[in-house]
Structures are given as structure tokens and as C-alpha cells.
Amino acid sequence: MDGMISELRGSLGEAGVLLDAERMEGYLVDQRDLVRGRAAAILRPSSTEQVQAIMRLASRYGVGIVPQAGNTSYCAGATPDTSGRQMVLSLERLNKVRSVDPLDAALSVDSGVILQHAQDAADAAGLMLPISLGSEGSCRIGGIIGTNAGGLSVLRYGMTRDLILGLEVVLPDGSLVNDMKRLRKNNTGYDIKQNFVGAEGTLGIVTGAVLKMIPKPTHHATAWVCLAEDVPLPEMLALVRRETGDLVSSFELITPRSLALVAPPDGPLKSGSGGVVLVELACSSSRIPVVEVMEGVMGDVFEAGWAEDVMIAQSDAQRADMWRLRETIPEGEKHHGGSVKHDISVPIGRTVEFLKVGGAAVAAYDPTLELSVYGHIGDGNLHYNLLVPKGDDRLRFTDRIGRELAPQLYDIAAGMGGSFSAEHGVGRLKRRLLQHYADPNRYRVLRGLKGLFDPLDVMNPGAMVDPATGLSGQE
Ligand code: MLT
Ligand code: ZN
């Protein structure tokens, strides 16, 4: 290890290798303070060539490298294990916007660029990078690619995977796959780059990306829909999409308990008996009267008996107030004392059914538990969280729910054709869930792919899957 560290110092310089405990601390714990690891060093390369040098050494010395971008994972995907033998590779110094190409609507960036800075670069060119997340001020491009992040507008623009035109990736042996093209069409064999999207740094290290942009939406209509009881939300979504000419960019559910965590009781934005849906239309043309379109469709929603009240934002400030409430719910949960997060995905048509059956399971387990449910119901993703009861120990509660109740919720989702992880990934915390719920042949191929790319298991060892030899997945 000492030999590797002195070679690393030679290639990265002093600023590129952190060894003292105080400076290492922030890289060793996940953002929710659930998992704490140790590391032999924190590496901070400032170029793709330095990342290549690191991986060559890691392969030679057999040292595990844990890539870390903004360190905002909910599954400890970027936290080293406790052996003290792994090294964290922080992408934070790979932070240049490489080019903005308006005619190709393509944005080329280093993987350590903060999402918001990438959004700003697109905005300055009159375009938009359509990935929107609560953590956009601190998460980095490499992390959103590694986790195939979703967020608030997936129903219109897709997951991160759908926005990737090109990638630059350092393989475990230090060689470089340069596929930084900005082509929309390129049918020339396997789409290798997609293997690295959602791979959580277990196959290679993404150092650069070309991302799709879209014409900047300059006109919005945002509605705060106070729901009646038992609204068939999938039908409502279908109607709103159809009647707006598919201009819907967000369709977010907020249940009353989640809203109460963040909304002042005397504030203007209230819940309906069935909670709230925040609907947004986005459009880049002034020729389309989005607010009138929204008013018309909300009339239909009323007529169907689905809304008790609807407020359409009359100003940017009102729109921002609505979004602030939605986006600060995770913060509100933290402030309450924490929550156990379940990032459930089910087919859109079964979301309401999941809410009913899941709610019944929680009530049967312990009727005093409080659910905070919200999220991207427009794409089938529910943040189905349990609030830590006052006075209970957060870690003990998390452990108990993980053992006793979460399996029931995941089984219900799986029985509906759903998933235990919609957009938060697998990391170190959900490895066993992956093994349990994945189709056995899919799991076998996952392990085979890991073994093919990373036979020495130096790429984020311990996250997601262990390698196996050959696509047949034999040990
Ligand atoms: C969100 O949609 O707000 C996040 O994905 C959920 C979270 O931060 O837990
Ligand atoms: Zn989310």
C-alpha cells in the first residue's frame, strides 16, 4: 500500500492524495450518516490521464477504488468498506464544461461538474438540460450517470440514461473508452456506453459525458390540485397528458402527512382530503397559451369530481412556493427526526393500488407508524417513507423496519411488477435485495458483466454485485 501511495503522489501531486484523517472525514460517511467506512487515501485526480494512472496502479496492487461524485447516494453507493484498504476516488476536480453545442443540442462535460453548473451552461445557450433533482446544487454528473438518476421530470424527458449521447470511461486496467460522440443515430454494434449508466462505478469510471439538451421551456403553467378522496390518479394523468398535447413535465403526489412536514398550517397551500398533485406544463413557445390550456384541463378534473380545489400559479413567486414545498419534503423528514426511505416503482396504472395495499400492510404491522408518501407518481415512482417515531433511535428503527416491514412492501411492489429501487440505486445497502428480487438469469448476467469488465474486482468492490466468470455467471 505504501508503494502505491508514493507512486500516486508522484502522478497526482500532494493536492491529489489526501491522507490526514480530518480532510478525509467527509468522504468516508454517506450523506444520511447511515454508513461509515475507512480508506487508505482519498484521491483527487484533475484529469482523465490521472484517473487512468490511478486505475493502472489499482489493478497492479489489487486495491479497490470507490468512485465518488457529489456523495449524495441514498444507498451508500460511494462509501468505502471498513477494511481501510480501499481508496476513494473523488471526481470533484474534474469540473470543466467542455463544450456547449446549440445546433446539436449537446452539452459536453467532465464528470465532476455539479449538475447545477451543467444546467447553467445549457441555460446560457438558450437550452435546458432536463434533469431536475432536489440535490442538483451538490450532486455531480458522474453520480447521476452512475445511478441513472431520475427526478422531477422523468415522465416527459426520461431518466439520465435517455439523455446520454456519449461517454468517456476509464476501464479498471486504466485503458480509455472514448465515445464522446454527439450523434443521435449511431448503429455500429453494441451500445457499450449504456453499460456504465446505472453501474454505480462498478465497471469503470466515467470521466466525461455528452448530454442531450432541449429547447428551454420559457412558459410554464403550474397547478396545485387539492385531491378528493380515492382519485384514480393514473386516469387523471392520462387525461391531463392527452388534453394538454402532452406538455406535462411533472405530475407529483404529496400526501397530507408529507405536506404537513413542510407547509405552515396557516399558509395558502393546503392539502385536499386525498393529498395534492402538483402538475406542471412546460413549453418553449409563446404561441401556445399554456395557462389557458391548464385552466381548461383543470375544468375537466373538477368535472370528474377529482379535485376539491385547484390553484394555478399566477406568478413565478407562486410557482416557486409550490415547488419549494414539494422539494423540501426530504429536508422536512430529516428535521422531524428522520425517515426510513423506500424508493418504490410500480407500473403507473397500479400506483393507487400500491398506496392502498401498502398502507394496509403498514397499518397491520403497527397502526401508530406514520407514513410520509410523495413523489413522481406520474412515472410510477413513490417515495414511500416511514417517519422515525419521536423518541425512537433512528438507526435501531431503520434496522427493525428493514428486517420486518420493508420486505412486505417490496413483495407487494414485486407482485405488481414493480421494483425496490426506482431511482436511488443499489449501492451497498440494497445488494441483498437485488439478489433476492432480480430474475435469476438477469442476476447471473449482471455478475458475468461485472466479471468481464472488472475481473480483479477493483471497481467499487462491495457495491451492487460481486463478479463472476463468463456470462454464464459461473464462479
Ligand atoms: C425526491 O424526489 O425528493 C427524492 O428523490 C427523495 C429523497 O430525497 O428522499
Ligand atoms: Zn425522487
Side-chain angles (χ1 to χ4, degrees):
M1 191 66 80
D2 287 351
M4 178 167 170
I5 288 179
S6 78
E7 288 199 53
L8 282 165
R9 279 190 148 149
S11 2
L12 273 63
E14 292 286 315
V17 184
L18 305 184
L19 296 171
D20 72 279
E22 205 179 313
R23 292 190 69 195
M24 286 168 69
E25 169 67 14
Y27 302 85
L28 300 179
V29 57
D30 76 305
Q31 66 141 342
R32 301 190 69 207
D33 210 3
L34 288 175
V35 179
R36 176 173 291 272
R38 291 170 60 226
I42 309 297
L43 309 177
R44 301 169 67 243
S46 59
S47 67
T48 298
E49 292 71 27
Q50 290 190 352
V51 176
Q52 291 182 266
I54 292 170
M55 290 319 306
R56 276 194 290 270
L57 289 171
S59 288
R60 174 140 63 86
Y61 284 91
V63 169
I65 298 293
V66 178
Q68 191 176 96
N71 198 14
T72 59
S73 171
Y74 282 136
C75 309
T79 309
D81 66 17
T82 50
S83 68
R85 286 194 48 77
Q86 298 182 333
M87 296 186 186
V88 173
L89 186 157
S90 167
L91 297 173
E92 65 200 343
R93 289 170 81 205
L94 297 174
N95 58 7
K96 287 185 198 54
V97 173
R98 297 188 189 179
S99 68
V100 184
D101 299 289
L103 294 183
D104 282 311
L107 175 69
S108 171
V109 288
D110 286 353
S111 61
V113 167
I114 290 180
L115 175 56
Q116 189 147 24
H117 298 167
Q119 291 169 341
D120 292 347
D123 188 76
L127 294 159
M128 184 172 92
L129 175 62
I131 307 172
S132 178
L133 309 173
S135 59
E136 62 201 15
S138 57
C139 71
R140 294 175 191 266
I141 296 295
I144 63 172
I145 292 172
T147 57
N148 185 27
L152 299 162
S153 43
V154 167
L155 89 162
R156 174 92 167 261
Y157 309 116
M159 300 285 278
T160 300
R161 181 183 301 291
D162 301 302
L163 301 169
I164 301 284
L165 294 173
L167 278 193
E168 177 188 273
V169 185
V170 175
L171 296 178
D173 65 1
S175 55
L176 185 71
V177 177
N178 185 341
D179 191 11
M180 286 289 278
K181 289 197 166 56
R182 47 179 194 262
L183 302 176
R184 307 282 158 155
K185 288 185 166 180
N186 182 19
N187 275 350
T188 53
Y190 306 131
D191 193 355
I192 305 293
K193 64 181 179 302
Q194 285 291 348
N195 282 297
F196 300 98
V197 184
E200 301 183 4
T202 59
L203 302 182
I205 300 186
V206 173
T207 49
V210 187
L211 302 160
K212 267 185 215 170
M213 298 183 288
I214 58 159
K216 178 162 65 181
T218 43
H219 296 76
H220 295 95
T222 310
W224 183 269
V225 185
C226 301
L227 296 169
E229 299 270 12
D230 296 324
V231 175
L233 290 168
E235 278 84 343
M236 178 174 153
L237 171 68
L239 176 132
V240 176
R241 288 187 68 176
R242 188 180 65 242
E243 293 305 317
T244 58
D246 216 4
L247 289 176
V248 183
S249 53
S250 292
F251 192 92
E252 296 279 311
L253 174 70
I254 308 172
T255 58
R257 186 66 187 98
S258 298
L259 185 62
L261 293 169
V262 289
D266 51 353
L269 294 169
K270 309 266 186 235
S271 179
S273 1
V276 171
V277 164
L278 182 55
V279 184
E280 185 155 280
L281 311 184
C283 174
S284 58
S285 168
S286 58
R287 295 202 169 92
I288 298 175
V290 274
V291 175
E292 276 173 44
V293 172
M294 179 68 102
E295 284 166 356
V297 80
M298 285 302 137
D300 298 344
V301 166
F302 256 121
E303 223 164 85
W306 295 336
E308 290 169 356
D309 194 8
V310 176
M311 254 177 282
I312 297 176
Q314 300 299 315
S315 64
D316 287 348
Q318 273 183 7
R319 174 177 172 233
D321 285 345
M322 293 176 180
W323 275 111
R324 192 170 317 110
L325 291 183
R326 161 61 187 91
E327 291 190 86
T328 52
I329 295 170
E331 216 29 58
E333 289 177 342
K334 211 167 166 182
H335 197 249
H336 169 88
S339 66
V340 179
K341 291 179 188 281
H342 302 105
D343 177 33
I344 302 286
S345 194
V346 289
I348 296 165
R350 302 192 75 171
T351 44
V352 171
E353 187 186 350
F354 180 86
L355 290 171
K356 282 218 164 70
V357 182
V362 172
Y365 172 74
D366 179 349
T368 67
L369 285 185
E370 288 192 293
L371 274 165
S372 166
V373 180
Y374 61 96
H376 325 292
I377 196 161
D379 63 44
N381 177 191
L382 296 165
H383 295 306
Y384 200 84
N385 302 344
L386 288 156
L387 298 177
V388 177
K390 290 265 181 250
D392 212 329
D393 177 78
R394 185 172 67 102
L395 294 181
R396 216 179 36 229
F397 180 71
T398 302
D399 183 58
R400 172 163 71 88
I401 295 299
R403 275 183 292 107
E404 297 175 1
L405 179 56
Q408 293 185 43
L409 299 173
Y410 293 142
D411 282 351
I412 293 167
M416 294 180 182
S419 167
F420 64 86
S421 181
E423 59 174 4
H424 292 173
V426 177
R428 281 166 183 70
L429 295 181
K430 296 189 178 169
R431 273 174 59 105
R432 273 188 295 144
L433 294 176
L434 177 64
Q435 182 168 10
H436 181 72
Y437 287 107
D439 165 78
N441 285 331
R442 174 169 178 265
Y443 190 70
R444 193 165 57 85
V445 175
L446 278 177
R447 293 195 58 205
L449 263 183
K450 165 75 176 166
L452 188 69
F453 278 93
D454 184 23
L456 302 176
D457 198 18
V458 290
M459 286 304 332
N460 208 359
M464 196 184 297
V465 283
D466 294 329
T469 309
L471 285 187
S472 61
Q474 303 306 312
E475 297 301 318

